[in-house]
Amino acid sequence: DSGVTQTPKHLITATGQRVTLRCSPRSGDLSVYWYQQSLDQGLQFLIQYYNGEERAKGNILERFSAQQFPDLHSELNLSSLELGDSALYFCASSSLGGGSSYNEQFFGPGTRLTVL
Amino acid sequence: GENVEQHPSTLSVQEGDSAVIKCTYSDSASNYFPWYKQELGKGPQLIIDIRSNVGEKKDQRIAVTLNKTAKHFSLHITETQPEDSAVYFCAANSGGGADGLTFGKGTHLIIQP
């Protein structure tokens, strides 16, 4: 158990809908990362938040957004969903992200999103 | 941006033998190289990592080597056991603490009894 929690475990929805995925980082970790895992694209970095502020963006679509709250939990919002958005979404956390190079990232169990 | 290539995509070894998975990266600024193990239905689990100022690191049956000049790094698992069967991912980040990890495509390691 990494100490990172994600809810829900599974989510089934229809095209065009909007969903919110939730992540709680390990106790004391300030950085939260979101990743998407699909069969064709593999594991891809989406976005990072550090202590409430957006820190870095990866391959995140404009239809997707995220935020990190004062209690450090994070939410990933996916809107105007398409069939191709079906994937596993992972959250990871690390204690660093404020300028250090060696930030070990610990992954949660993931949310499996199915868009029908 | 960074690009990480990983080989092989599938590796089958006899229980007790060694397994080696290789990765190359493109960004010479990358300075942190973790390895993750992912079992079915679970999230990636960090098993070992290496930093660019180190050439080799060992943790029991697992070792990682890094060749900065050639921009490649490898995972070595000795005395493989059935519980080592999983998908293994290599990754790299470009430092500064601000970037997410760039992952290889993964290696499905199968331990034959």
Side-chain angles (χ1 to χ4, degrees):
Chain A
D1 184 0
S2 67
V4 178
T5 61
Q6 289 187 248
T7 57
K9 195 172 175 64
H10 301 280
L11 198 49
I12 301 175
T13 189
T15 54
Q17 295 298 304
R18 172 189 168 95
V19 297
T20 297
L21 313 183
R22 184 189 168 104
C23 166
S24 291
R26 295 186 316 159
S27 177
D29 281 359
L30 298 178
S31 269
V32 169
Y33 305 77
W34 286 97
Y35 291 85
Q36 180 193 59
Q37 186 175 37
S38 62
L39 281 173
D40 53 342
Q41 297 293 326
L43 259 168
Q44 286 201 100
F45 166 63
L46 297 179
I47 196 165
Q48 177 200 2
Y49 275 79
Y50 173 72
N51 204 21
E53 300 288 326
E54 182 184 302
R55 184 82 181 182
K57 270 186 173 180
N59 299 321
I60 190 166
L61 300 172
E62 285 193 10
R63 300 183 285 111
F64 297 180
S65 65
Q67 54 184 328
Q68 186 179 27
F69 294 87
D71 66 353
L72 300 177
H73 90 271
S74 178
E75 293 180 355
L76 179 67
N77 300 297
L78 314 176
S79 61
S80 303
L81 285 167
E82 302 174 359
L83 295 177
D85 297 327
S86 294
L88 276 165
Y89 290 85
F90 288 104
C91 165
S93 75
S94 73
S95 59
L96 304 174
S100 171
S101 300
Y102 308 128
N103 50 336
E104 297 172 321
Q105 296 180 30
F106 298 90
F107 281 71
T111 293
R112 180 175 292 280
L113 174 66
T114 302
V115 182
L116 300 175
Chain B
E2 175 64 277
N3 182 51
V4 176
E5 300 282 342
Q6 182 172 347
H7 300 280
S9 56
T10 304
L11 178 60
S12 181
V13 302
Q14 289 294 124
E15 182 179 349
D17 287 350
S18 295
V20 180
I21 301 170
K22 298 182 179 182
C23 290
T24 60
Y25 62 98
S26 62
D27 188 349
S28 56
S30 291
N31 58 9
Y32 174 63
F33 307 93
W35 286 87
Y36 285 84
K37 174 184 181 182
Q38 187 175 24
E39 296 174 313
L40 200 59
K42 296 187 177 180
Q45 174 195 0
L46 179 65
I47 57 172
I48 195 167
D49 56 17
I50 192 166
R51 302 169 184 185
S52 59
N53 57 349
V54 174
E56 183 174 357
K57 183 177 177 181
K58 270 188 174 181
D59 182 4
Q60 299 182 327
R61 297 185 297 108
I62 294 174
V64 58
T65 58
L66 171 65
N67 183 327
K68 280 186 64 181
T69 304
K71 289 195 225 159
H72 66 70
F73 56 114
S74 301
L75 177 71
H76 304 249
I77 305 174
T78 59
E79 300 172 13
T80 52
Q81 300 168 4
E83 53 265 35
D84 294 330
S85 293
V87 179
Y88 290 80
F89 293 93
C90 61
N93 82 349
S94 295
D99 291 337
L101 296 170
T102 299
F103 283 85
K105 292 292 188 186
T107 295
H108 186 193
L109 177 62
I110 301 165
I111 308 300
Q112 303 279 7

